[in-house]
Amino acid sequence: LAVTMDYSIFLLHRYEEEKKKHEPMQAMALAIQATFTSITSSSITTIAGFAALCVMQLTLGADIGIVMAKGVVLGVLSTIFILPSLLMFFDRAIEKYKHPTLIRQLRKLPSYVSEHAGRIVLASLVIMIPFVYGQSHASVYYDLISGMPQDFASIIGTSQLKDKFDMTTTHFVLVDDDLSTSQIQSMQKEIEQLPGIDNIISYETFAGPGIPDTYKPEAVSEIFENGGWKMLIVNSDYVSATDEINDQLDQMDTIIHSYDPDGLIGGEGSMTRDLIHTTDIDFAVVNVLSVVLIFMIIAITFRSVSIPIVLVACIELAITINMGLPYYTRTTLPFIAGMVIGTIQLGATVDYAILLTTRFKEELSKGSSVHQAVRTAGKRSSISIMTSGLSFFAACIGVSFFAKMDLIRSLVVLLARGALISVVCILTVLPAMLVVFHKPIEKTTKGWPKEGVNSYEKN
Protein backbone atom coordinates (compact mmCIF):
# COMPACT_ATOMS: atom_id res chain seq x y z
CA LEU A 1 0.00 0.00 0.00
CA ALA A 2 2.65 2.50 1.08
CA VAL A 3 5.05 1.79 -1.77
CA THR A 4 2.64 1.52 -4.72
CA MET A 5 0.47 4.46 -3.63
CA ASP A 6 3.21 6.70 -5.05
CA TYR A 7 2.42 5.76 -8.64
CA SER A 8 -1.27 6.60 -8.23
CA ILE A 9 -0.42 9.95 -6.68
CA PHE A 10 2.07 10.82 -9.45
CA LEU A 11 -0.54 10.11 -12.14
CA LEU A 12 -3.40 11.84 -10.31
CA HIS A 13 -1.50 15.08 -9.70
CA ARG A 14 -0.23 15.25 -13.28
CA TYR A 15 -3.77 14.60 -14.58
CA GLU A 16 -5.12 17.48 -12.48
CA GLU A 17 -2.34 19.72 -13.78
CA GLU A 18 -3.02 18.84 -17.44
CA LYS A 19 -6.79 19.16 -16.96
CA LYS A 20 -6.37 22.90 -16.40
CA LYS A 21 -5.17 23.22 -20.02
CA HIS A 22 -6.96 20.36 -21.84
CA GLU A 23 -10.22 18.45 -21.86
CA PRO A 24 -10.25 15.28 -19.64
CA MET A 25 -9.54 12.69 -22.35
CA GLN A 26 -6.52 14.53 -23.70
CA ALA A 27 -5.40 15.52 -20.20
CA MET A 28 -5.33 11.85 -19.12
CA ALA A 29 -3.40 10.85 -22.24
CA LEU A 30 -0.83 13.56 -21.59
CA ALA A 31 -0.65 12.65 -17.88
CA ILE A 32 0.03 8.99 -18.67
CA GLN A 33 2.63 9.97 -21.24
CA ALA A 34 4.35 12.42 -18.86
CA THR A 35 4.44 10.07 -15.86
CA PHE A 36 5.00 6.78 -17.68
CA THR A 37 8.80 7.03 -17.50
CA SER A 38 8.69 8.03 -13.83
CA ILE A 39 6.27 5.24 -12.89
CA THR A 40 7.91 2.43 -14.85
CA SER A 41 11.51 3.31 -13.97
CA SER A 42 10.53 3.91 -10.33
CA SER A 43 8.73 0.58 -10.13
CA ILE A 44 11.62 -1.31 -11.72
CA THR A 45 14.10 0.21 -9.26
CA THR A 46 11.77 -0.66 -6.39
CA ILE A 47 11.41 -4.23 -7.65
CA ALA A 48 15.20 -4.48 -7.98
CA GLY A 49 15.63 -3.32 -4.40
CA PHE A 50 13.21 -5.94 -3.12
CA ALA A 51 14.69 -8.62 -5.38
CA ALA A 52 18.06 -8.02 -3.71
CA LEU A 53 16.56 -9.33 -0.46
CA CYS A 54 16.10 -12.72 -2.13
CA VAL A 55 19.85 -13.42 -2.09
CA MET A 56 19.91 -13.42 1.71
CA GLN A 57 20.91 -16.68 3.35
CA LEU A 58 18.22 -15.93 5.92
CA THR A 59 15.05 -16.89 4.03
CA LEU A 60 13.09 -14.13 5.74
CA GLY A 61 14.63 -11.86 3.07
CA ALA A 62 13.24 -13.91 0.19
CA ASP A 63 9.82 -14.06 1.86
CA ILE A 64 9.69 -10.26 2.11
CA GLY A 65 11.36 -9.60 -1.25
CA ILE A 66 9.13 -11.83 -3.39
CA VAL A 67 5.87 -10.59 -1.86
CA MET A 68 6.90 -6.93 -2.11
CA ALA A 69 8.21 -7.21 -5.69
CA LYS A 70 5.04 -9.01 -6.78
CA GLY A 71 2.93 -6.33 -5.09
CA VAL A 72 4.78 -3.55 -6.92
CA VAL A 73 4.17 -5.21 -10.32
CA LEU A 74 0.44 -5.52 -9.61
CA GLY A 75 0.33 -1.96 -8.27
CA VAL A 76 1.92 -0.52 -11.41
CA LEU A 77 -0.43 -2.45 -13.70
CA SER A 78 -3.41 -1.19 -11.71
CA THR A 79 -2.14 2.39 -11.87
CA ILE A 80 -1.58 2.37 -15.64
CA PHE A 81 -4.64 0.39 -16.76
CA ILE A 82 -7.33 0.75 -14.06
CA LEU A 83 -6.76 4.10 -12.32
CA PRO A 84 -7.14 6.26 -15.48
CA SER A 85 -10.52 4.66 -16.22
CA LEU A 86 -11.71 5.17 -12.64
CA LEU A 87 -10.59 8.80 -12.57
CA MET A 88 -12.36 9.62 -15.82
CA PHE A 89 -15.50 7.64 -14.95
CA PHE A 90 -15.87 9.44 -11.60
CA ASP A 91 -14.52 12.76 -12.85
CA ARG A 92 -17.79 14.68 -12.26
CA ALA A 93 -18.20 13.32 -8.74
CA ILE A 94 -14.58 14.08 -7.94
CA GLU A 95 -14.95 17.68 -9.16
CA LYS A 96 -18.26 18.12 -7.36
CA TYR A 97 -16.97 17.08 -3.94
CA LYS A 98 -13.47 18.52 -4.26
CA HIS A 99 -12.26 20.69 -1.38
CA PRO A 100 -9.15 22.89 -1.04
CA THR A 101 -5.99 20.81 -0.79
CA LEU A 102 -4.37 20.55 2.62
CA ILE A 103 -0.91 20.03 1.13
CA ARG A 104 0.02 22.96 -1.08
CA GLN A 105 2.82 23.47 -3.56
CA LEU A 106 6.12 24.60 -2.12
CA ARG A 107 6.96 27.98 -3.59
CA LYS A 108 9.65 29.55 -1.41
CA LEU A 109 11.69 26.40 -0.71
CA PRO A 110 12.59 25.58 -4.37
CA SER A 111 13.75 29.18 -4.90
CA TYR A 112 15.83 29.09 -1.71
CA VAL A 113 17.41 25.76 -2.71
CA SER A 114 18.22 27.09 -6.18
CA GLU A 115 19.92 30.21 -4.78
CA HIS A 116 21.92 28.36 -2.10
CA ALA A 117 22.61 25.07 -3.92
CA GLY A 118 26.35 24.98 -3.17
CA ARG A 119 25.88 25.64 0.54
CA ILE A 120 23.18 22.97 0.82
CA VAL A 121 25.38 20.31 -0.81
CA LEU A 122 28.28 21.24 1.48
CA ALA A 123 26.01 21.22 4.56
CA SER A 124 24.67 17.78 3.63
CA LEU A 125 28.23 16.40 3.49
CA VAL A 126 28.98 17.86 6.92
CA ILE A 127 25.71 16.54 8.37
CA MET A 128 26.43 13.07 6.99
CA ILE A 129 29.66 12.61 9.01
CA PRO A 130 28.13 12.14 12.51
CA PHE A 131 25.38 9.92 11.13
CA VAL A 132 27.87 7.66 9.35
CA TYR A 133 29.55 7.23 12.73
CA GLY A 134 26.19 6.68 14.44
CA GLN A 135 25.10 4.08 11.88
CA SER A 136 28.28 2.03 12.34
CA HIS A 137 28.07 2.20 16.16
CA ALA A 138 24.31 1.72 16.68
CA SER A 139 23.41 -1.09 19.09
CA VAL A 140 21.85 -4.20 17.56
CA TYR A 141 20.17 -7.13 19.31
CA TYR A 142 19.91 -10.71 18.08
CA ASP A 143 17.99 -12.07 21.07
CA LEU A 144 14.60 -12.87 19.54
CA ILE A 145 13.00 -13.75 22.90
CA SER A 146 13.60 -10.27 24.36
CA GLY A 147 11.62 -8.75 21.49
CA MET A 148 8.57 -10.95 22.03
CA PRO A 149 5.57 -9.93 24.18
CA GLN A 150 6.32 -10.99 27.74
CA ASP A 151 2.78 -12.34 28.30
CA PHE A 152 3.24 -15.14 25.72
CA ALA A 153 3.01 -18.61 27.30
CA SER A 154 6.38 -19.63 25.82
CA ILE A 155 8.10 -16.53 27.23
CA ILE A 156 6.50 -17.04 30.66
CA GLY A 157 7.69 -20.67 30.66
CA THR A 158 11.23 -19.69 29.66
CA SER A 159 11.32 -17.01 32.37
CA GLN A 160 10.19 -19.51 35.01
CA LEU A 161 12.92 -21.95 33.98
CA LYS A 162 15.48 -19.20 34.40
CA ASP A 163 14.09 -18.04 37.77
CA LYS A 164 13.34 -21.40 39.41
CA PHE A 165 16.14 -23.53 37.99
CA ASP A 166 18.76 -20.82 37.43
CA MET A 167 18.88 -21.71 33.71
CA THR A 168 20.16 -18.82 31.65
CA THR A 169 21.15 -20.45 28.35
CA THR A 170 21.20 -24.15 27.49
CA HIS A 171 23.43 -25.76 24.84
CA PHE A 172 22.57 -29.14 23.34
CA VAL A 173 25.74 -30.96 22.28
CA LEU A 174 25.42 -33.83 19.78
CA VAL A 175 28.31 -36.24 19.17
CA ASP A 176 28.66 -39.62 17.46
CA ASP A 177 27.35 -42.50 19.59
CA ASP A 178 30.54 -44.45 18.79
CA LEU A 179 32.36 -42.29 21.34
CA SER A 180 33.15 -44.33 24.43
CA THR A 181 31.97 -43.44 27.91
CA SER A 182 35.51 -42.48 28.92
CA GLN A 183 35.78 -40.12 25.92
CA ILE A 184 32.44 -38.49 26.79
CA GLN A 185 33.49 -38.02 30.41
CA SER A 186 36.86 -36.59 29.36
CA MET A 187 35.10 -34.14 27.01
CA GLN A 188 32.70 -33.15 29.79
CA LYS A 189 35.57 -32.34 32.14
CA GLU A 190 37.17 -30.07 29.55
CA ILE A 191 33.90 -28.24 28.88
CA GLU A 192 33.22 -27.85 32.62
CA GLN A 193 36.52 -25.99 32.98
CA LEU A 194 35.35 -23.24 30.59
CA PRO A 195 34.30 -19.90 32.14
CA GLY A 196 30.52 -19.54 32.56
CA ILE A 197 29.64 -23.26 32.43
CA ASP A 198 27.23 -24.10 35.26
CA ASN A 199 26.69 -27.83 34.82
CA ILE A 200 26.47 -30.65 32.27
CA ILE A 201 23.81 -33.35 32.12
CA SER A 202 24.38 -36.56 30.15
CA TYR A 203 23.87 -40.29 30.51
CA GLU A 204 27.50 -40.62 31.55
CA THR A 205 26.88 -38.14 34.38
CA PHE A 206 24.68 -40.69 36.14
CA ALA A 207 26.06 -43.99 34.86
CA GLY A 208 29.79 -44.59 34.84
CA PRO A 209 31.71 -46.99 32.62
CA GLY A 210 31.01 -49.83 35.10
CA ILE A 211 27.36 -50.26 34.02
CA PRO A 212 26.94 -52.51 30.95
CA ASP A 213 24.85 -51.30 27.98
CA THR A 214 22.33 -54.11 28.60
CA TYR A 215 21.32 -52.43 31.87
CA LYS A 216 20.71 -48.99 30.39
CA PRO A 217 17.24 -47.63 31.30
CA GLU A 218 15.31 -47.39 28.04
CA ALA A 219 13.61 -44.10 28.97
CA VAL A 220 16.95 -42.42 29.69
CA SER A 221 18.60 -43.97 26.65
CA GLU A 222 15.90 -42.60 24.31
CA ILE A 223 16.60 -39.08 25.57
CA PHE A 224 20.41 -39.09 25.57
CA GLU A 225 21.17 -41.65 22.84
CA ASN A 226 19.09 -41.65 19.69
CA GLY A 227 19.47 -41.79 15.91
CA GLY A 228 23.21 -42.43 16.01
CA TRP A 229 23.91 -39.47 18.30
CA LYS A 230 24.70 -38.93 21.96
CA MET A 231 23.43 -35.75 23.61
CA LEU A 232 24.89 -33.64 26.40
CA ILE A 233 22.91 -30.78 27.96
CA VAL A 234 25.25 -27.92 28.91
CA ASN A 235 23.86 -25.10 31.06
CA SER A 236 25.62 -21.75 30.78
CA ASP A 237 25.53 -18.70 33.04
CA TYR A 238 25.89 -16.37 30.05
CA VAL A 239 23.00 -14.75 28.19
CA SER A 240 22.55 -15.61 24.51
CA ALA A 241 23.54 -13.14 21.79
CA THR A 242 26.45 -11.74 23.85
CA ASP A 243 30.19 -11.75 23.18
CA GLU A 244 30.75 -13.90 26.28
CA ILE A 245 28.54 -16.74 25.12
CA ASN A 246 29.85 -16.57 21.55
CA ASP A 247 33.42 -16.96 22.86
CA GLN A 248 32.24 -19.82 25.07
CA LEU A 249 30.64 -21.56 22.08
CA ASP A 250 33.82 -21.15 20.01
CA GLN A 251 35.84 -22.79 22.79
CA MET A 252 33.28 -25.59 23.09
CA ASP A 253 33.48 -26.17 19.32
CA THR A 254 37.25 -26.64 19.60
CA ILE A 255 36.89 -29.20 22.41
CA ILE A 256 34.02 -31.12 20.80
CA HIS A 257 35.68 -31.33 17.38
CA SER A 258 38.84 -32.75 18.97
CA TYR A 259 36.72 -35.78 19.92
CA ASP A 260 34.24 -35.77 17.03
CA PRO A 261 34.90 -33.62 13.91
CA ASP A 262 31.17 -33.82 13.06
CA GLY A 263 29.96 -32.79 16.53
CA LEU A 264 27.23 -30.13 16.70
CA ILE A 265 25.97 -27.57 19.20
CA GLY A 266 22.27 -26.65 19.17
CA GLY A 267 20.18 -24.30 21.27
CA GLU A 268 19.35 -20.63 21.49
CA GLY A 269 22.94 -19.47 22.04
CA SER A 270 24.30 -21.36 19.06
CA MET A 271 21.41 -20.24 16.90
CA THR A 272 21.99 -16.55 17.66
CA ARG A 273 25.74 -16.94 17.03
CA ASP A 274 24.96 -18.40 13.59
CA LEU A 275 22.45 -15.60 13.06
CA ILE A 276 25.12 -12.96 13.74
CA HIS A 277 27.56 -14.52 11.24
CA THR A 278 24.84 -15.01 8.62
CA THR A 279 23.35 -11.53 8.85
CA ASP A 280 26.78 -9.86 8.72
CA ILE A 281 27.32 -11.46 5.31
CA ASP A 282 23.73 -10.81 4.22
CA PHE A 283 23.97 -7.14 5.21
CA ALA A 284 27.01 -6.52 3.01
CA VAL A 285 25.69 -8.50 0.02
CA VAL A 286 22.13 -7.12 0.03
CA ASN A 287 23.11 -3.47 0.40
CA VAL A 288 25.75 -3.61 -2.32
CA LEU A 289 23.51 -5.59 -4.68
CA SER A 290 20.50 -3.29 -4.21
CA VAL A 291 22.62 -0.18 -4.87
CA VAL A 292 24.22 -1.76 -7.98
CA LEU A 293 20.88 -2.91 -9.43
CA ILE A 294 19.16 0.43 -8.84
CA PHE A 295 22.21 2.29 -10.17
CA MET A 296 22.11 0.27 -13.40
CA ILE A 297 18.37 0.75 -13.92
CA ILE A 298 18.58 4.54 -13.42
CA ALA A 299 21.60 4.65 -15.71
CA ILE A 300 19.68 2.85 -18.47
CA THR A 301 16.52 4.94 -17.92
CA PHE A 302 18.29 8.29 -18.17
CA ARG A 303 21.14 7.00 -20.38
CA SER A 304 23.50 8.60 -17.90
CA VAL A 305 26.50 7.77 -15.73
CA SER A 306 26.20 10.74 -13.37
CA ILE A 307 22.44 10.87 -12.65
CA PRO A 308 22.37 7.48 -10.85
CA ILE A 309 25.26 8.65 -8.69
CA VAL A 310 23.39 11.82 -7.73
CA LEU A 311 20.06 10.07 -7.05
CA VAL A 312 21.48 7.11 -5.12
CA ALA A 313 23.77 9.41 -3.11
CA CYS A 314 20.79 11.53 -2.07
CA ILE A 315 18.77 8.51 -0.90
CA GLU A 316 21.79 6.98 0.84
CA LEU A 317 22.14 10.25 2.76
CA ALA A 318 18.55 9.84 3.97
CA ILE A 319 19.17 6.18 4.88
CA THR A 320 22.35 7.06 6.77
CA ILE A 321 20.55 9.74 8.79
CA ASN A 322 17.69 7.33 9.52
CA MET A 323 19.96 4.47 10.62
CA GLY A 324 22.36 6.76 12.50
CA LEU A 325 19.71 8.37 14.70
CA PRO A 326 19.23 5.30 16.98
CA TYR A 327 22.83 5.68 18.20
CA TYR A 328 22.12 9.19 19.45
CA THR A 329 18.70 8.27 20.86
CA ARG A 330 20.20 5.21 22.62
CA THR A 331 17.82 2.88 20.79
CA THR A 332 18.74 -0.77 20.18
CA LEU A 333 17.67 -2.08 16.78
CA PRO A 334 16.73 -5.63 15.74
CA PHE A 335 19.39 -7.43 13.71
CA ILE A 336 17.26 -7.44 10.53
CA ALA A 337 16.81 -3.64 10.49
CA GLY A 338 20.02 -2.75 8.64
CA MET A 339 19.25 -4.94 5.64
CA VAL A 340 15.51 -4.49 5.34
CA ILE A 341 15.33 -0.74 6.03
CA GLY A 342 18.21 0.19 3.76
CA THR A 343 16.84 -1.82 0.84
CA ILE A 344 13.17 -0.85 1.23
CA GLN A 345 13.88 2.84 1.86
CA LEU A 346 16.18 2.97 -1.16
CA GLY A 347 13.79 1.09 -3.44
CA ALA A 348 10.66 2.90 -2.28
CA THR A 349 11.81 6.52 -1.99
CA VAL A 350 14.04 6.61 -5.07
CA ASP A 351 10.66 7.02 -6.83
CA TYR A 352 10.46 10.57 -5.54
CA ALA A 353 13.97 11.33 -6.79
CA ILE A 354 13.18 9.95 -10.25
CA LEU A 355 9.97 12.01 -10.43
CA LEU A 356 11.74 15.27 -9.58
CA THR A 357 14.67 14.56 -11.93
CA THR A 358 12.32 13.66 -14.80
CA ARG A 359 10.43 16.92 -14.29
CA PHE A 360 13.73 18.83 -14.11
CA LYS A 361 14.75 17.34 -17.47
CA GLU A 362 11.32 18.19 -18.94
CA GLU A 363 11.63 21.83 -17.88
CA LEU A 364 15.13 22.05 -19.36
CA SER A 365 13.72 20.69 -22.63
CA LYS A 366 11.30 23.62 -22.70
CA GLY A 367 14.20 26.07 -22.76
CA SER A 368 14.38 26.94 -19.05
CA SER A 369 17.66 27.77 -17.37
CA VAL A 370 19.03 25.34 -14.78
CA HIS A 371 17.82 27.48 -11.88
CA GLN A 372 14.39 28.03 -13.46
CA ALA A 373 14.07 24.31 -14.23
CA VAL A 374 14.96 23.22 -10.70
CA ARG A 375 12.54 25.76 -9.20
CA THR A 376 9.69 24.61 -11.42
CA ALA A 377 10.48 20.93 -10.90
CA GLY A 378 10.62 21.38 -7.14
CA LYS A 379 7.38 23.36 -7.08
CA ARG A 380 5.42 21.08 -9.44
CA SER A 381 6.66 17.83 -7.90
CA SER A 382 6.38 18.90 -4.27
CA ILE A 383 2.72 17.92 -3.78
CA SER A 384 3.24 14.44 -5.23
CA ILE A 385 6.40 13.86 -3.23
CA MET A 386 4.98 15.13 0.07
CA THR A 387 1.69 13.27 -0.37
CA SER A 388 3.51 10.04 -1.22
CA GLY A 389 5.91 10.42 1.69
CA LEU A 390 3.12 11.15 4.15
CA SER A 391 1.13 8.18 2.82
CA PHE A 392 4.17 5.96 3.35
CA PHE A 393 4.54 7.40 6.86
CA ALA A 394 0.87 6.88 7.70
CA ALA A 395 0.77 3.29 6.44
CA CYS A 396 3.83 2.34 8.51
CA ILE A 397 3.25 4.32 11.69
CA GLY A 398 -0.26 2.91 12.02
CA VAL A 399 1.16 -0.61 12.35
CA SER A 400 3.47 0.49 15.17
CA PHE A 401 0.49 1.38 17.37
CA PHE A 402 -0.79 -2.21 17.37
CA ALA A 403 2.32 -4.37 16.81
CA LYS A 404 3.11 -6.52 19.85
CA MET A 405 6.46 -7.77 18.56
CA ASP A 406 9.30 -5.32 19.03
CA LEU A 407 10.86 -6.56 15.78
CA ILE A 408 7.83 -5.45 13.73
CA ARG A 409 7.34 -2.23 15.66
CA SER A 410 10.98 -1.21 15.22
CA LEU A 411 10.90 -1.88 11.47
CA VAL A 412 7.74 0.12 10.76
CA VAL A 413 8.91 3.07 12.89
CA LEU A 414 12.20 3.14 10.97
CA LEU A 415 10.35 2.96 7.64
CA ALA A 416 7.95 5.73 8.65
CA ARG A 417 10.77 7.99 9.79
CA GLY A 418 12.84 7.10 6.74
CA ALA A 419 10.03 8.18 4.41
CA LEU A 420 9.93 11.67 5.97
CA ILE A 421 13.72 12.02 5.95
CA SER A 422 13.81 10.97 2.28
CA VAL A 423 11.16 13.56 1.39
CA VAL A 424 13.19 16.32 3.05
CA CYS A 425 16.40 15.21 1.33
CA ILE A 426 14.77 14.98 -2.10
CA LEU A 427 13.12 18.40 -1.84
CA THR A 428 16.30 20.11 -0.61
CA VAL A 429 19.51 18.17 -1.27
CA LEU A 430 18.60 16.62 -4.64
CA PRO A 431 17.65 19.90 -6.40
CA ALA A 432 20.82 21.46 -5.02
CA MET A 433 22.89 18.56 -6.39
CA LEU A 434 21.20 18.88 -9.80
CA VAL A 435 22.24 22.55 -9.91
CA VAL A 436 25.79 22.04 -8.62
CA PHE A 437 26.55 19.02 -10.80
CA HIS A 438 24.59 20.07 -13.88
CA LYS A 439 27.68 20.44 -16.10
CA PRO A 440 28.96 16.90 -15.39
CA ILE A 441 25.39 15.60 -15.83
CA GLU A 442 25.12 17.35 -19.20
CA LYS A 443 28.43 15.86 -20.40
CA THR A 444 27.78 12.29 -19.16
CA THR A 445 24.10 11.95 -20.14
CA LYS A 446 23.06 11.06 -23.66
CA GLY A 447 20.33 13.36 -25.01
CA TRP A 448 20.35 15.62 -21.95
CA PRO A 449 18.76 18.97 -22.93
CA LYS A 450 21.04 21.98 -23.25
CA GLU A 451 20.38 24.88 -20.94
CA GLY A 452 18.25 27.57 -22.58
CA VAL A 453 17.50 25.50 -25.72
CA ASN A 454 13.87 24.59 -26.34
CA SER A 455 14.06 20.98 -27.49
CA TYR A 456 10.31 20.86 -28.21
CA GLU A 457 10.44 23.78 -30.68
CA LYS A 458 13.68 22.43 -32.16
CA ASN A 459 12.02 19.06 -32.81
Side-chain angles (χ1 to χ4, degrees):
L1 174 65
V3 172
T4 58
M5 180 65 75
D6 299 348
Y7 314 132
S8 302
I9 292 169
F10 294 170
L11 180 63
L12 172 62
H13 286 163
R14 190 55 185 257
Y15 172 57
E16 290 178 342
E17 182 182 332
E18 295 294 341
K19 208 163 55 166
K20 295 175 181 177
K21 299 175 286 185
H22 307 281
E23 54 87 23
M25 183 74 75
Q26 187 179 1
M28 180 57 73
L30 292 171
I32 294 173
Q33 182 181 354
T35 57
F36 185 79
T37 300
S38 298
I39 292 173
T40 52
S41 58
S42 297
S43 63
I44 294 171
T45 54
T46 305
I47 291 167
F50 295 144
L53 291 171
C54 297
V55 303
M56 288 172 57
Q57 297 177 75
L58 196 65
T59 55
L60 175 64
D63 294 337
I64 296 173
I66 291 171
V67 172
M68 293 289 280
K70 183 172 60 178
V72 171
V73 172
L74 296 172
V76 170
L77 293 175
S78 298
T79 299
I80 294 174
F81 293 104
I82 299 174
L83 181 62
S85 302
L86 290 173
L87 288 175
M88 295 184 68
F89 185 81
F90 293 105
D91 189 66
R92 290 184 179 180
I94 292 171
E95 291 295 330
K96 182 178 179 181
Y97 296 104
K98 183 180 289 187
H99 58 78
T101 55
L102 300 176
I103 301 175
R104 299 181 182 276
Q105 280 186 354
L106 296 177
R107 298 183 182 276
K108 294 182 179 180
L109 181 63
S111 299
Y112 179 86
V113 170
S114 173
E115 293 169 7
H116 302 86
R119 295 178 182 177
I120 292 172
V121 172
L122 182 61
S124 66
L125 292 174
V126 174
I127 290 170
M128 192 172 185
I129 295 171
F131 288 104
V132 169
Y133 178 85
Q135 183 179 16
S136 60
H137 290 80
S139 299
V140 178
Y141 72 83
Y142 294 85
D143 184 5
L144 298 177
I145 292 178
S146 64
M148 300 287 284
Q150 296 304 301
D151 58 349
F152 277 15
S154 57
I155 305 300
I156 294 172
T158 302
S159 299
Q160 288 180 348
L161 285 171
K162 291 179 180 179
D163 295 339
K164 295 180 179 180
F165 298 98
D166 198 26
M167 292 172 61
T168 303
T169 304
T170 301
H171 309 308
F172 299 93
V173 178
L174 298 177
V175 293
D176 196 299
D177 63 359
D178 288 338
L179 264 64
S180 65
T181 301
S182 60
Q183 286 178 304
I184 297 291
Q185 289 180 328
S186 175
M187 183 174 65
Q188 283 187 207
K189 288 180 181 179
E190 289 189 53
I191 294 174
E192 284 174 334
Q193 299 304 313
L194 296 177
I197 297 298
D198 184 41
N199 60 72
I200 300 178
I201 303 171
S202 67
Y203 176 79
E204 285 72 16
T205 306
F206 306 104
I211 299 177
D213 289 347
T214 53
Y215 290 99
K216 282 184 180 180
E218 187 177 344
V220 177
S221 181
E222 285 182 357
I223 295 173
F224 290 100
E225 298 182 12
N226 209 326
W229 296 91
K230 286 186 177 181
M231 182 177 70
L232 293 80
I233 299 175
V234 182
N235 289 311
S236 171
D237 292 330
Y238 296 149
V239 178
S240 64
T242 60
D243 292 337
E244 292 84 2
I245 202 162
N246 290 337
D247 291 339
Q248 184 185 83
L249 286 163
D250 291 339
Q251 291 174 311
M252 284 178 60
D253 271 332
T254 303
I255 294 170
I256 293 165
H257 291 156
S258 67
Y259 290 91
D260 178 9
D262 297 322
L264 304 169
I265 305 176
E268 182 188 351
S270 182
M271 185 270 289
T272 52
R273 180 186 58 162
D274 291 343
L275 199 59
I276 292 170
H277 294 321
T278 301
T279 52
D280 283 346
I281 297 170
D282 282 347
F283 180 82
V285 171
V286 168
N287 279 281
V288 170
L289 182 59
S290 61
V291 169
V292 169
L293 289 174
I294 290 173
F295 183 96
M296 290 174 60
I297 292 166
I298 296 174
I300 293 169
T301 301
F302 286 96
R303 295 183 295 176
S304 172
V305 175
S306 53
I307 287 179
I309 297 174
V310 171
L311 268 58
V312 172
C314 182
I315 302 299
E316 287 296 329
L317 169 64
I319 293 171
T320 302
I321 294 172
N322 189 25
M323 298 304 296
L325 275 173
Y327 172 77
Y328 298 102
T329 58
R330 298 294 185 265
T331 304
T332 303
L333 299 175
F335 68 94
I336 197 73
M339 291 171 288
V340 174
I341 300 303
T343 304
I344 293 179
Q345 187 175 343
L346 174 62
T349 60
V350 75
D351 301 354
Y352 315 153
I354 291 173
L355 177 70
L356 189 142
T357 307
T358 303
R359 188 59 186 258
F360 173 65
K361 180 182 178 182
E362 181 184 330
E363 295 302 324
L364 284 175
S365 299
K366 295 177 181 178
S368 300
S369 67
V370 171
H371 289 275
Q372 288 174 332
V374 86
R375 284 196 293 268
T376 304
K379 184 172 69 173
R380 296 291 188 184
S381 304
S382 59
I383 294 181
S384 296
I385 292 171
M386 288 190 293
T387 307
S388 298
L390 289 172
S391 298
F392 199 125
F393 173 83
C396 293
I397 204 68
V399 179
S400 70
F401 297 142
F402 301 98
K404 291 185 177 181
M405 291 179 61
D406 182 67
L407 174 66
I408 303 299
R409 187 166 53 250
S410 297
L411 291 179
V412 293
V413 168
L414 283 168
L415 284 171
R417 185 174 67 201
L420 298 183
I421 295 171
S422 292
V423 167
V424 173
C425 287
I426 289 164
L427 290 176
T428 55
V429 179
L430 179 58
M433 293 177 74
L434 291 174
V435 171
V436 172
F437 301 111
H438 181 259
K439 288 298 180 184
I441 290 173
E442 191 177 281
K443 292 179 180 178
T444 58
T445 305
K446 187 176 181 181
W448 189 259
K450 300 288 184 181
E451 183 178 7
V453 178
N454 193 323
S455 301
Y456 292 152
E457 289 183 359
K458 187 177 179 180
N459 291 334

